[in-house]
Amino acid sequence: DAKTTQPPSMDCAEGRAANLPCNHSTISGNEYVYWYRQIHSQGPQYIIHGLKNNETNEMASLIITEDRKSSTLILPHATLRDTAVYYCIVRPEGVYSGGGADGLTFGKGTHLIIQP
Amino acid sequence: DVKVTQSSRYLVKRTGEKVFLECVQDMDHENMFWYRQDPGLGLRLIYFSYDVKMKEKGDIPEGYSVSREKKERFSLILESASTNQTSMYLCASSFYENSYEQYFGPGTRLTVT
């Protein structure tokens, strides 16, 4: 699996856009970029994923560079409730193919702190 | 919205007790997962199920078993709880078509004394 690199922490003012970068220079052609977050003492929360086109949903936007070696998660209007650890991972999209379960594993992620 | 619920938020058990953790999802997902999360060790997969009565071992299945008798329910069983099983236990579910888009429950913080 491709490894990802994220800054350990970031601050953002409430109401501003939060832009969280992720490097994944060894990503392979069939791997998607996924973003999750985990608010303190809660379960992880799926945010968004994409292959090469930019993606947007009700929570965030995902911008993937043309060479696919890096991406940015954008929270357009950050609120205090967005303070969390954000994880970027790469995985293929598709059905489980057998041969042993392969769950999610998170690195250290980025601790995003939204300042009032 | 996907909802994954877990039977307890906090649980305290004694060494040697049999412990049942229950998870229910309401999105008709085929896949269900049990993880544990520990500081410094991150998220680790215990067991995975891709269909009723089907299960696959994850990275750390020792000391645990699972049961999936109905599609919406996935149970984790600690046959004889030990102190090293004190942890946050997380259940997740996903559609069969994309096993990495997972939806998690709130977690059960289990303490074994």
Side-chain angles (χ1 to χ4, degrees), chain A residues 34 36 38 41-44 46 49 91-96 100-106, chain B residues 9 35 37 43 45 48 50 56-57 88 90 96-106:
Chain A
Y34 290 80
Y36 283 80
Q38 190 167 19
S41 294
Q42 296 185 22
Y46 165 80
H49 75 282
R91 285 288 192 280
E93 182 184 74
V95 301
Y96 167 65
D102 179 20
L104 295 175
T105 53
F106 297 146
Chain B
R9 281 292 271 137
Y35 294 89
Q37 187 173 35
L43 206 60
L45 182 66
F48 159 61
Y50 55 91
E56 290 276 357
K57 292 181 180 179
M88 169 71 92
L90 291 157
Y96 182 70
E97 289 77 14
N98 184 9
S99 59
Y100 296 110
E101 182 181 331
Q102 295 179 19
Y103 294 86
F104 284 79

Side-chain angles (χ1 to χ4, degrees), chain A residues 85-96:
Chain A
V85 180
Y86 287 76
Y87 300 102
C88 165
I89 63 172
V90 291
R91 285 288 192 280
E93 182 184 74
V95 301
Y96 167 65

Side-chain angles (χ1 to χ4, degrees), chain B residues 4-5 10 16 25 39 59 66 68 71 80-81 97 106:
Chain B
V4 180
T5 57
Y10 300 95
Q25 51 93 5
D59 299 317
V66 289
R68 188 148 180 222
K71 188 176 185 181
S80 177
E97 289 77 14

